[in-house]
């Protein structure tokens, strides 16, 4: 498949006289795609029921005539002000009970039936008009579900929909009371209409109640997205994408992904390093203008799984962003490196955000490929360079990996609901295992939690999966390769109770978690063979093989055949050792990499990505600072 570049463009922000020149410059730069429309509702429908298509017709025609393919976004992330007059109660409500206001974006509650109706109406109108337009080559539903903390809403609409959802799921309040253990503090219900949302309780709400609400909220996003995809498909054969984000776990992306043709995500490496990673200040300093060396790759692999092989970058950081605590300027070369790293992981397209920096409103400090005065910014030249390189590179196939990591959204909800130690965060745990594999120079696939076939993977990791699904348990039992499960895996039932017999209940492994402890960050538990458990460890009773112990004698890693259970959260030293031993035993070639240098094999090439601000030597080759190097594989 030919890999391509694109850009996000807002024709409604610029005088019409400028569109043709913009389009010509995009094409000349070597861009293929232009995404438009996702925030333009107030121009498409200035007053309720009166559509103004003329400008959008002309914008699409102008871009298409320049040879660009258009990704058309549905504008539902930004309902216009008049919508509130029609549906004053459509606004989301936060956990403190405060109604969120108009004046930015994403101010709707996923559960509001009136707003769903309005969304269906505008999506129908848009799809009807442009579904067969030859320039519309893909669609995007809404924009970044979950951005600005918008999945969980405690509105009246959510309450009503939650009660309906509970009635469907449990059928009777007796069943619900039993499943949740509501006898515990006399929390039993006799009618679904008595059940509230799990906020503003005196102390913590029943975790089973919270988990049910989290599942419900995720289902609401899935249903809302499906409403849109069902409509678009009636009028168009073009593929449909949504643009997901970095480290957003509030809804099950695998479930939304099932209704989409392409997964895409919005990659802002410097913003993410600044605002959503548990790393040392030294690490932040070192990579301040490059981004974390593993965070992008993790999401590339995740969204390749969510998209069942088809995935894009819908928004790629081009220069400083505006929204992180600090907004550094990327090192020259990074806008090229980030794009190539995505392609090496199988991205079909990389679209930069945005064409021209806006001189007005919220994001005026956010760079684009062009400055506000239309002069090229740094990333403009780098995008052009990537376009030329792509033209010369016939293809970049996404290769299969020997190792896989299971990723599960429900586990993120579970351990937020009952962390038991304030550092126990599911994403953090899964990402630390992913990093460990990357430090060893490995290609990694991410698998969904209901995966029933582990295929030819030589090593599968499943840390922190709150409830192992039946298909995955079966697959683990049948698997010929090695697996590493735990810590804290299979520790809850689906209804968020502690299972008896006690966890981990793994096929063929006689091990029981007798008790657990969480630890402050400065209380490590040393392991016999080196390194430590941090944050969390478990006391295992076992008749399985004890592979290693902590220095106080507790089993740390146990095994039965290829199946391993890890009884704590390993630090880097322990993880590197454990992974290396497992890889060596299974014939997986590891290549421990220097800090900041990362590697990925495609089907045809080996790529090196140097996230350091200084050059790195690799054998005969010097990889420049913020540079990419590739060589053909034999
Ligand atoms: C994304 C969003 C864009 C823009 C961008 C700025 O989260 O989808 O519309 O706001 O961030 O970095």
């Amino acid at each position: 498949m030919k890999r391509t570049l694109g850009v996000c463009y807002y024709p409604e922000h610029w005088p019409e006289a400028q569109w043709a020149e913009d389009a010509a410059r995009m094409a000349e730069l070597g861009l293929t795609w232009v995404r438009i429309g996702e925030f333009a509702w107030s121009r498409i429908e200035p007053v309720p029921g009166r559509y103004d298509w003329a400008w959008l017709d002309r914008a699409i025609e102008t871009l298409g005539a320049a040879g660009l393919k258009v990704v058309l976004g549905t504008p539902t992330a930004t309902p216009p002000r008049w919508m509130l007059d029609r549906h004053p109660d459509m606004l989301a409500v936060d956990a403190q009970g405060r109604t969120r206001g108009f004046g930015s974006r994403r101010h709707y509650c996923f559960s509001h039936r009136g707003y769903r109706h309005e969304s269906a109406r505008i999506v129908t109108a848009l799809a009807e008009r442009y579904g067969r337009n030859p320039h519309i080559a893909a669609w995007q539903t809404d924009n970044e579900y979950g951005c600005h903390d918008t999945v969980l809403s405690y509105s009246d609409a959510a309450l009503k929909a939650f009660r309906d959802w509970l009635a469907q799921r449990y059928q009777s309040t007796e069943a619900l009371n039993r499943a949740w253990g509501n006898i515990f503090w006399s929390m039993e219900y006799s009618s679904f209409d008595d059940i509230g949302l799990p906020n503003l309780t005196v102390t913590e709400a029943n975790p089973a109640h919270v988990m049910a609400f989290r599942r419900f909220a995720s289902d609401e996003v899935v249903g809302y997205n499906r409403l849109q995809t069902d409509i678009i498909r009636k009028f168009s054969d073009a593929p449909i994408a949504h643009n997901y984000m970095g480290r957003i776990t509030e809804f099950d992306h695998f479930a939304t992904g099932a209704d989409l043709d392409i997964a895409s995500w919005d990659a802002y490496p410097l913003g993410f390093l600044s605002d959503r990673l548990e790393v040392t200040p030294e690490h932040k300093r070192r990579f301040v203008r490059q981004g974390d060396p593993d965070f992008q790759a993790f999401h590339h692999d995740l969204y390749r799984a969510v998209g069942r092989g088809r995935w894009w970058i819908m928004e790629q950081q081009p220069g400083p962003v505006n929204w992180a605590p600090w907004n550094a300027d990327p090192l020259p070369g990074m806008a090229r490196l980030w794009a190539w790293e995505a392609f090496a992981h199988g991205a079909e397209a990389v679209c930069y955000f945005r064409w021209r920096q806006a001189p007005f409103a919220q994001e005026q400090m956010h760079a684009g490929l062009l400055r506000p005065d239309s002069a090229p910014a740094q990333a403009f030249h780098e995008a052009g360079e990537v376009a030329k390189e792509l033209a010369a590179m016939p293809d970049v196939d996404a290769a299969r990996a020997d190792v896989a990591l299971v990723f599960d959204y429900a586990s993120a909800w579970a351990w937020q609901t009952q962390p038991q130690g304030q550092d126990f965060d599911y994403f953090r745990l899964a990402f630390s295992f992913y990093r460990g594999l990357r430090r060893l120079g490995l290609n990694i696939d991410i698998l969904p939690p209901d995966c029933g076939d582990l295929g030819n993977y030589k090593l599968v990791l499943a840390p922190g999966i709150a409830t192992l699904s039946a298909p995955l348990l079966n697959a683990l039992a049948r698997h010929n390769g090695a697996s590493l499960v735990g810590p804290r895996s299979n520790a809850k039932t689906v209804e968020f109770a502690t299972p008896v017999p006690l966890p981990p209940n793994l096929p063929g492994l006689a091990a029981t978690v007798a008790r657990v402890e969480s630890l402050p960050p400065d209380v490590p538990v040393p392991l016999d063979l080196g390194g430590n458990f941090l944050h969390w460890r478990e006391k295992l009773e076992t008749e399985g093989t004890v592979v290693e112990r902590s220095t106080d004698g507790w089993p740390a890693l146990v095994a039965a055949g290829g199946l391993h259970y890890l009884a704590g959260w390993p630090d880097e030293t322990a993880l590197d050792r454990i992974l290396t031993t497992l890889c060596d035993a299974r014939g997986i070639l590891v290549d421990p990499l220097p800090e900041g240098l990362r590697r990925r094999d495609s089907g045809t090439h080996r790529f090196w990505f140097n996230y350091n601000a200084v050059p790195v030597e690799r054998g005969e080759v010097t990889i420049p600072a913020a540079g990419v190097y590739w060589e053909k594989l034999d």
Side-chain angles (χ1 to χ4, degrees), residues 38-42 75-80 104-108 115 142:
E38 82 277 11
F39 301 130
W41 197 338
S42 69
T76 46
T78 50
S104 64
R105 60 178 172 183
R106 297 215 59 79
H107 43 279
Y108 67 87
Y115 187 62
D142 201 279

Side-chain angles (χ1 to χ4, degrees), residues 92-100 149 152-155 197-201 213:
V93 174
D94 74 10
Q96 276 66 49
R98 296 170 304 204
T99 302
R100 305 188 77 173
D149 201 6
L152 300 180
S153 167
Y154 298 84
S155 68
L197 298 173
N199 64 325
L200 301 175
T201 48
F213 182 61

Side-chain angles (χ1 to χ4, degrees), residues 100-177:
R100 305 188 77 173
F102 181 83
S104 64
R105 60 178 172 183
R106 297 215 59 79
H107 43 279
Y108 67 87
C109 171
F110 280 99
S111 299
H112 192 272
R113 271 30 194 181
Y115 187 62
R116 283 198 179 203
H117 184 76
E118 301 279 2
S119 302
R121 189 175 58 73
I122 191 70
V123 174
T124 305
L126 201 70
E128 227 169 11
R129 186 155 190 101
Y130 299 112
R132 299 280 166 217
N133 185 302
H135 302 310
I136 305 299
W139 296 85
Q140 175 186 296
T141 54
D142 201 279
N143 189 79
E144 293 194 326
Y145 295 134
C147 189
H148 317 305
D149 201 6
T150 49
V151 169
L152 300 180
S153 167
Y154 298 84
S155 68
D156 289 346
L159 175 61
K160 184 171 178 321
F162 182 49
R163 288 173 176 164
D164 290 347
W165 185 93
L166 291 173
Q168 289 284 330
R169 182 178 170 97
Y170 296 99
Q171 299 290 313
S172 72
T173 49
E174 290 75 25
L176 178 143
N177 287 328

Side-chain angles (χ1 to χ4, degrees), residues 39 105 143-144 147 243 266 268 315 321 323 353 363 366:
F39 301 130
R105 60 178 172 183
N143 189 79
E144 293 194 326
C147 189
N243 57 334
D266 298 345
Y268 292 96
E315 300 179 12
V321 300
W323 46 262
F353 180 92
E363 293 178 353
H366 193 299

